[in-house]
Amino acid sequence: MELLIENLSKTYGNGVQALDNVSLHIPTGMFGLLGPNGAGKSTLMRILATLQEADSGSAMLGDINVLRDKDAVRRVLGYLPQELGVYPKVGAYEMLDHIALLKGVTARGERKDLVEALLKRVNLWDQRKRRLSGFSGGMKQRFGIAQCLIGQPKLIIVDEPTAGLDPGERNRFYNLLTEIGENVVVILSTHIVQDVRELCGNMAIINKGRLLYAGPPDTALQELKGKVWEKTIAKGELEGYAAGGKLISHRLSAGSPVIHLLDSAAPGEGFHAVEPSLEDVFFGAINIGNAQPAA
Ligand code: ADP
């Protein structure tokens, strides 16, 4: 199963073009959709999850026409939105049992086996009687994965799943996603570079609705090799570098700006070459637009 997206575009009523001719080939496994806030990630996710219409383009999941045959998509889709909405004051077991029933698992014995297996799989078995309203952020996300696994989905979409999770919760969630991603298409939309670095064999970077890069993270890193230069500068110098069109990023270290520049040769006095990171790939694509879309 693979997902083929061709020339997808979407402009909202207020004139914002959220997707501009996006084409992507998404194979089985974990696929990271990386972009800053407002890039168009949720719009793309919602269109693929049949919750929103595209203006033009196509998306095929195997032989299912995603934009036209919505019922067929919904039968094989697991969707974990940014916010699952209200977390009611009912226990995790009870809620999952209820959702399984709504999703058509009507046989009582089958549903019991399924709910038990899912709660164990997402490591919430010991919490099964606890009210969802009292769950931590990480527990809510793991519950979200359990509900989206009902019906053995072929396409799983998770939208910004690790925002607000502490490092321990994030790790538990990563491990869970990695297990799931072995046999299905999992699209992980995120603005957190670490999510993609740790999880995804393939990724895309989008900004302002446009695709800036598609391919394996390793390939993107390879392309930057020997071209990322670092220097600690004085605060007053930052503006000049920003205007120069080569500034990948800047951060503060002990109060002084540390900059990364993109250049094929040493840009000047005081710069040293650094090993490119996925942050350099991401911010380079966003701020300079250097990354080339892979075929
Ligand atoms: P992301 O998920 O990457 O943060 P979104 O897809 O939510 O990006 O948003 C992309 C752009 O479309 C943003 O400029 C956002 O303000 C705009 N947008 C999103 N939803 C709507 C909407 N329902 N109506 C109008 N504009 C919207």
Side-chain angles (χ1 to χ4, degrees):
M1 187 72 88
E2 55 186 15
L3 178 63
L4 276 176
I5 299 166
E6 301 272 354
N7 306 112
L8 212 58
S9 290
K10 169 78 186 177
T11 301
Y12 285 108
N14 59 2
V16 173
Q17 182 158 27
L19 293 177
D20 182 2
N21 229 12
V22 171
S23 297
L24 275 176
H25 173 192
I26 303 184
T28 303
M30 297 284 302
F31 187 94
L33 183 67
L34 195 56
N37 285 326
K41 303 181 299 294
S42 294
T43 301
L44 179 57
M45 301 295 93
R46 286 197 303 263
I47 289 171
L48 296 174
T50 74
L51 299 172
Q52 204 171 307
E53 301 284 339
D55 296 336
S56 57
S58 71
M60 296 293 297
L61 177 68
D63 53 12
I64 301 173
N65 185 326
V66 176
L67 305 186
R68 289 212 198 110
D69 202 353
K70 295 190 174 140
D71 286 342
V73 178
R74 287 170 192 156
R75 279 194 289 274
V76 296
L77 173 75
Y79 178 54
L80 180 58
Q82 258 178 47
E83 286 287 329
L84 205 53
V86 189
Y87 290 88
K89 290 186 180 137
V90 297
Y93 187 104
E94 198 184 330
M95 187 66 189
L96 200 57
D97 184 71
H98 180 65
I99 297 172
L101 185 62
L102 289 180
K103 285 198 176 181
V105 189
T106 48
R108 200 179 279 258
E110 184 194 342
R111 201 164 67 242
K112 179 169 176 289
D113 291 347
L114 175 68
V115 169
E116 286 186 12
L118 284 173
L119 287 170
K120 285 174 186 162
R121 180 150 184 204
V122 302
N123 215 357
L124 286 174
W125 180 248
D126 292 344
Q127 317 286 339
R128 65 191 178 281
K129 291 182 183 152
R130 202 166 145 185
R131 287 172 168 183
L132 290 170
S133 52
F135 270 18
S136 71
M139 288 158 66
K140 283 178 180 166
Q141 289 304 66
R142 281 183 281 136
F143 181 83
I145 286 291
Q147 65 82 28
C148 97
L149 287 177
I150 297 169
Q152 294 181 311
K154 304 263 186 296
L155 170 65
I156 294 179
I157 293 176
V158 282
D159 200 353
E160 300 270 355
T162 65
L165 299 193
D166 68 37
E169 285 178 329
R170 181 169 294 176
N171 267 334
R172 277 192 287 278
F173 193 70
Y174 282 166
N175 289 336
L176 181 60
L177 278 182
T178 306
E179 280 174 36
I180 292 165
E182 280 172 10
N183 303 313
V184 294
V185 177
V186 182
I187 307 177
L188 170 79
S189 124
T190 184
H191 64 276
I192 301 170
V193 176
Q194 188 196 354
D195 290 351
V196 175
R197 189 170 56 228
E198 304 217 358
L199 292 170
C200 302
N202 283 288
M203 68 166 190
I205 300 175
I206 64 169
N207 190 30
K208 297 178 182 157
R210 299 184 60 193
L211 184 68
L212 300 180
Y213 176 81
D218 284 349
T219 308
L221 288 170
Q222 207 57 42
E223 281 168 13
L224 287 191
K225 232 175 165 39
K227 297 180 189 161
V228 181
W229 303 87
E230 184 176 274
K231 185 183 178 182
T232 303
I233 58 167
K235 269 186 189 140
E237 294 177 281
L238 188 57
E239 222 169 291
Y241 281 111
K246 294 178 177 175
L247 185 65
I248 296 173
S249 64
H250 65 94
R251 63 183 163 85
L252 286 180
S253 174
S256 297
V258 177
I259 59 168
H260 278 194
L261 288 196
L262 181 78
D263 214 329
S264 47
E269 196 67 6
F271 281 94
H272 63 275
V274 290
E275 193 62 32
S277 67
L278 208 52
E279 272 85 4
D280 293 318
V281 171
F282 178 59
F283 290 111
I286 303 295
N287 295 330
I288 309 177
N290 64 296
Q292 297 299 315

